[in-house]
Amino acid sequence: MVAYTPAAMKAELHERGWRMTPQRETILNTFQNVAKGEHLSAEELCETLKEEGEPISLSTIYRNLKLMSRMGILRELELAEGQKRYEINQPSPHHHHHLICVRCNKTIEFKNDSVLKAGAKMADKSGYHLLDCQLLIHA
């Protein structure tokens, strides 16, 4: 798992037959600048971009969030409020998991390298390349 720069994302998109659009670069840059522990929904991302003078349609945001999640650039999270949220997929040693309170919806991030190692080992053993490994604990 690598940290994504616009150049790395452009190269991977090109390899898959897609191109780096200004919207994709804007979305990547926005997630790279989000405060630690913050998880954005598509709607929140749309609102943030509007406020920054970068209006991107909600449908374009949804398509790109899905694409960037499949590529392993973003993590798609199903947190307590039942809405999908996203964050940049950080490589080790910044990789983390989430503990979610089912009463107040508070989300606590925590690290556990053994979860990541087990996921990487299983993927490798099965002939796959690990894109993401996440543990969600609802408590």
Side-chain angles (χ1 to χ4, degrees):
M1 191 181 321
V2 298
Y4 273 90
T5 62
M9 184 172 158
K10 181 178 181 178
E12 188 167 341
L13 284 165
H14 181 73
E15 186 178 295
R16 295 174 183 222
W18 297 316
R19 64 186 185 89
M20 176 64 124
T21 63
Q23 295 88 349
R24 289 177 181 152
E25 188 167 358
T26 297
I27 291 169
L28 176 64
N29 289 334
T30 301
F31 275 102
Q32 288 176 327
N33 293 313
V34 166
K36 183 180 180 206
E38 191 172 347
H39 310 95
L40 297 176
S41 68
E43 293 79 7
E44 290 167 337
L45 176 59
C46 189
E47 189 59 35
T48 298
L49 293 174
K50 263 186 216 173
E51 290 171 5
E52 294 175 355
E54 297 278 354
I56 299 175
S57 74
L58 192 54
S59 61
T60 297
I61 287 173
Y62 274 115
R63 277 193 309 275
N64 282 290
L65 290 175
K66 185 175 182 175
L67 171 69
M68 293 168 78
S69 294
R70 280 195 324 240
M71 290 174 69
I73 297 168
L74 296 178
R75 296 175 93 189
E76 183 179 273
L77 306 166
E78 292 263 354
L79 301 179
E81 60 271 0
Q83 184 181 39
K84 289 183 182 178
R85 296 191 168 274
Y86 300 85
E87 68 180 356
I88 197 82
N89 195 5
Q90 294 289 338
S92 187
H94 307 289
H95 192 83
H96 62 272
H97 307 284
H98 300 87
L99 174 88
I100 303 148
C101 176
V102 295
R103 285 195 185 145
C104 69
N105 294 334
K106 181 178 181 180
T107 301
I108 298 169
E109 294 182 349
F110 68 96
K111 293 182 181 192
N112 185 319
D113 291 337
S114 61
V115 172
L116 181 61
K117 287 177 186 173
K121 183 178 179 180
M122 187 63 192
D124 189 51
K125 181 179 174 183
S126 301
Y128 294 99
H129 173 74
L130 180 71
L131 291 177
D132 187 21
C133 177
Q134 55 180 298
L135 175 63
L136 296 176
I137 298 174
H138 298 270

